[in-house]
Amino acid sequence: MKVLAVLYKGGQHAKDEPRMYGCLENELGLRPWLESLGHTYVTTDSKEGADSVLDKEIVDADIVITTPFHPGYINRERIEKAKNLRLLVTAGVGSDHIDLEYANKRKITVAEVTGSNVTSVAEHVVMTMLTLVRNFVPAHEQIVANEWDVAAVAKNSFDLENKVVATIGAGRIGQLVLRRLNGFDCKELLYYDYQALPADVEKKLNCRRVESLEEMVAQADVVTINCPLHEHTKGLVNKQLLSKFKKGSWLVNTARGAICVKEDVANALKSGQIRGYGGDVWFPQPAPANHPWRSMRNQYGGGNAMTPHMSGTSIDAQVRYANGTKNIIETFLSGSKNYRPQDLIVIDGHYATRSYGNDKK
């Protein structure tokens, strides 16, 4: 069989840290294993345009591996010409870069390494909250610029204690964020999701469900997005919803960039409707040089805590999703279909999760 993987270049960094399995040079650690079984393994970072290596090699590939961090967009056109394609694996979590409807039509299995990023992303969320609320970035920039003006940065620095924090989405990551926040003595922890958490889980997390998204964001000092990207969440955070936010609140997004309308977020930050925005997800990725989230600031010159898409690719997470990718491929090669249920997105022409699509089996 032929396995094709689209990964980001690591360069010298891949040599510095051999556990950077998610980069092109270290190839998820799969080459020795796959080649020992007689399979062909092609890896590339070339994914844009008809002349990309992805477009050329997908034609006869049986398995394609992509990542959320350097996504090879597997659209209908690419699937149509991949006549042998039977398995799409996301090395990480989040398969919104794949045309899941057409994968279903072709009865191609789509799987991801569920849980591999949960701790890493939840930690990044809490870090970003603190970075924004405490106004860390402008304060650090002062020091790098050999400046010292305590008043300039203290005037926009607050405590997370006694604040209302709300999550859009209360799945694995959302729940862990709520759990981590319990140590900060927040005033209240809220969540919005299509289904309520069990009462014992709500009690353990010390959180309360709000059934109206508009009502929830109006109460929150900090809002964090922890839901998948699909047709119902694309552009969810737009000008209209942002107008319902508590004025001067902070917004954190480590889910997917396209859940937010980029121009609307930048305008809300500039106007003071929100005090800060931070996260690590963009659309498209890599983000173009003129993406407004690169340079946007609030009225005090701060409020921007953006990073490249890195929250779910810590070294520890890379070890987890490299191992998980191997396990998924190993199951596929065995013909058993004995996948971990939580890893499956679509299989046998049906959705296997309620997180995506309308056919939620």
Side-chain angles (χ1 to χ4, degrees), residues 55-356:
D55 278 272
K56 292 176 180 176
E57 296 289 346
I58 200 173
V59 175
D60 60 346
D62 300 277
I63 300 171
V64 174
I65 304 167
T66 54
T67 80
F69 316 105
H70 182 71
Y73 293 97
I74 309 300
N75 54 27
R76 177 173 181 147
E77 181 183 0
R78 282 172 167 162
I79 294 173
E80 280 182 337
K81 64 183 178 183
K83 304 302 181 184
N84 298 339
L85 187 58
R86 295 167 58 197
L87 175 66
L88 288 163
V89 185
T90 299
V93 176
S95 298
D96 48 273
H97 56 286
I98 297 169
D99 187 331
L100 298 175
E101 287 290 325
Y102 198 63
N104 256 336
K105 186 175 180 179
R106 280 275 308 272
K107 294 190 176 180
I108 296 167
T109 298
V110 181
E112 58 187 42
V113 190
T114 298
S116 62
N117 69 340
V118 172
T119 297
S120 309
V121 176
E123 289 185 0
H124 197 100
V125 170
V126 176
M127 176 190 74
T128 305
M129 285 181 187
L130 290 169
T131 298
L132 288 171
V133 173
R134 298 309 304 262
N135 203 30
F136 175 83
V137 174
H140 177 68
E141 288 173 342
Q142 269 195 20
I143 298 305
V144 174
N146 292 322
E147 298 172 357
W148 189 282
D149 188 347
V150 174
V153 288
K155 70 179 181 182
N156 203 33
S157 178
F158 299 83
D159 296 337
L160 193 56
E161 184 181 56
N162 206 35
K163 300 295 187 295
V164 176
V165 183
T167 175
I168 301 174
R172 292 176 178 85
I173 293 173
Q175 288 181 47
L176 187 55
V177 169
L178 293 171
R179 198 168 100 197
R180 295 285 190 262
L181 288 172
N182 268 283
F184 287 91
D185 295 327
C186 297
K187 183 177 182 179
E188 193 171 19
L189 300 177
L190 309 176
Y191 76 96
Y192 172 81
D193 208 313
Y194 64 87
Q195 62 181 357
L197 295 171
D200 61 324
V201 175
E202 285 191 349
K203 184 177 180 180
K204 182 178 179 181
L205 296 176
N206 191 31
C207 64
R208 174 172 66 89
R209 185 187 184 208
V210 182
E211 295 189 29
S212 164
L213 178 58
E214 291 80 5
E215 181 184 332
M216 186 183 76
V217 299
Q219 300 176 56
D221 297 293
V222 183
V223 176
T224 170
I225 303 172
N226 299 293
C227 62
L229 172 64
H230 50 69
E231 60 180 336
H232 300 300
T233 60
K234 185 176 182 180
L236 176 68
V237 181
N238 53 24
K239 182 179 180 180
Q240 181 178 358
L241 184 63
L242 285 162
S243 71
K244 307 294 184 183
F245 273 53
K246 185 176 181 179
K247 189 172 177 62
S249 55
W250 297 272
L251 176 59
V252 176
N253 180 13
T254 56
R256 285 295 181 267
I259 293 173
C260 296
V261 178
K262 60 181 184 292
E263 297 86 0
D264 293 353
V265 168
N267 290 335
L269 183 63
K270 184 178 180 180
S271 71
Q273 177 60 20
I274 59 173
R275 194 180 297 269
Y277 180 86
D280 69 322
V281 287
W282 310 70
F283 184 78
Q285 291 186 174
N290 64 350
H291 197 295
W293 293 353
R294 287 184 178 270
S295 57
M296 64 182 182
R297 300 272 178 158
N298 63 22
Q299 59 182 326
Y300 297 134
N304 187 329
M306 291 301 296
T307 70
H309 193 173
M310 61 176 287
S311 64
T313 192
S314 65
I315 297 302
D316 299 296
Q318 291 190 49
V319 172
R320 291 191 291 267
Y321 68 68
N323 289 334
T325 298
K326 180 180 178 182
N327 290 338
I328 290 168
I329 295 174
E330 200 165 33
T331 300
F332 172 79
L333 294 175
S334 75
S336 69
K337 294 189 178 181
N338 190 29
Y339 301 99
R340 293 196 314 164
Q342 63 266 39
D343 288 347
L344 290 170
I345 307 301
V346 300
I347 188 169
D348 295 331
H350 297 290
Y351 284 94
T353 171
R354 296 189 67 186
S355 295
Y356 295 92

